[in-house]
Amino acid sequence: GENVEQHPSTLSVQEGDSAVIKCTYSDSASNYFPWYKQELGKGSQLIIDIRSNVGEKKDQRIAVTLNKTAKHFSLHITETQPEDSAVYFCAAYSTGGGNKLTFGTGTQLKVEL
Amino acid sequence: EAGVAQSPRYKIIEKRQSVAFWCNPISGHATLYWYQQILGQGPKLLIQFQNNGVVDDSQLPKDRFSAERLKGVDSTLKIQPAKLEDSAVYLCASSPGTGRGQPQHFGDGTRLSIL
């Protein structure tokens, strides 16, 4: 089945700096890669996603890049703000071995003033 | 539109007791998912419904966990009897369908503590 690895597990940045979170996946059949933001006591909010036929997608301060050859994808947050502090999860949707999302282990992002 | 609703938000029980969680998906969403999220880990799929049929329950511990979605709308997840290792957040998600990785929308979850 699919295996998703996520790094780093914790990330601390100064307000205004950029943050990058990286994920790798194992199943070359995976074709959809969402990113979720989880704030304390709340469910996971979909913040951006990318499909395998696209190399990059941007939404205001958030961007995601995908390298299918290397089987890795990354989340980029620019001009970070305190409200960006949360746990971020990457996921990969695989059609091999069952159609389902496999999640990474999460990155705790802290934006310091 | 209203999001995925889950209840209760918190539940504390002793081991070997039973517990049930409820989920109401986004209106019109055919697919409903139950995930288990243990502290420090990502969500793990327990069961997936398409309307009122089970699509995938390969990771559901069927000796103690059960789930149903009788009318193809809301769903319940039950644990009987509970074990200490069941302490986790149980998340419900829904999506319009399953084709080509459709976005899943999550509820706030039920935090279960087993004493």
Side-chain angles (χ1 to χ4, degrees), chain B residues 17-89:
Chain B
Q17 287 188 324
S18 302
V19 65
F21 314 124
W22 175 82
C23 171
N24 192 27
I26 293 173
S27 178
H29 280 194
T31 308
L32 184 148
Y33 314 79
W34 283 103
Y35 288 87
Q36 179 192 60
Q37 186 176 16
I38 293 173
L39 188 64
Q41 299 181 18
K44 184 187 81 171
L45 180 69
L46 291 175
I47 189 167
Q48 176 183 340
F49 292 94
Q50 175 81 7
N51 296 311
N52 61 350
V54 175
V55 173
D56 183 355
D57 64 356
S58 58
Q59 298 192 81
L60 186 74
K62 298 181 186 63
D63 58 333
R64 298 184 300 105
F65 286 64
S66 64
E68 60 183 16
R69 192 185 185 199
L70 293 176
K71 297 183 179 179
V73 180
D74 55 352
S75 174
T76 56
L77 175 69
K78 296 180 182 178
I79 307 175
Q80 179 181 7
K83 291 185 176 181
L84 293 175
E85 60 261 35
D86 298 333
S87 292
V89 177

Side-chain angles (χ1 to χ4, degrees), chain B residues 9 15 32 35 47 49 67 69 85 92 95 99 101 106 110 113:
Chain B
R9 289 298 313 276
K15 60 182 179 183
L32 184 148
Y35 288 87
I47 189 167
F49 292 94
R69 192 185 185 199
E85 60 261 35
C92 179
S95 68
F106 284 80
T110 296
S113 297

Side-chain angles (χ1 to χ4, degrees), chain A residues 36 38 41 43 51 89 93, chain B residues 9 37 59 98 100 104 107:
Chain A
Y36 286 87
Q38 193 174 70
R51 299 196 181 273
F89 289 94
Y93 179 85
Chain B
R9 289 298 313 276
Q37 186 176 16
Q59 298 192 81
T98 59
R100 298 187 68 243
Q104 296 183 22

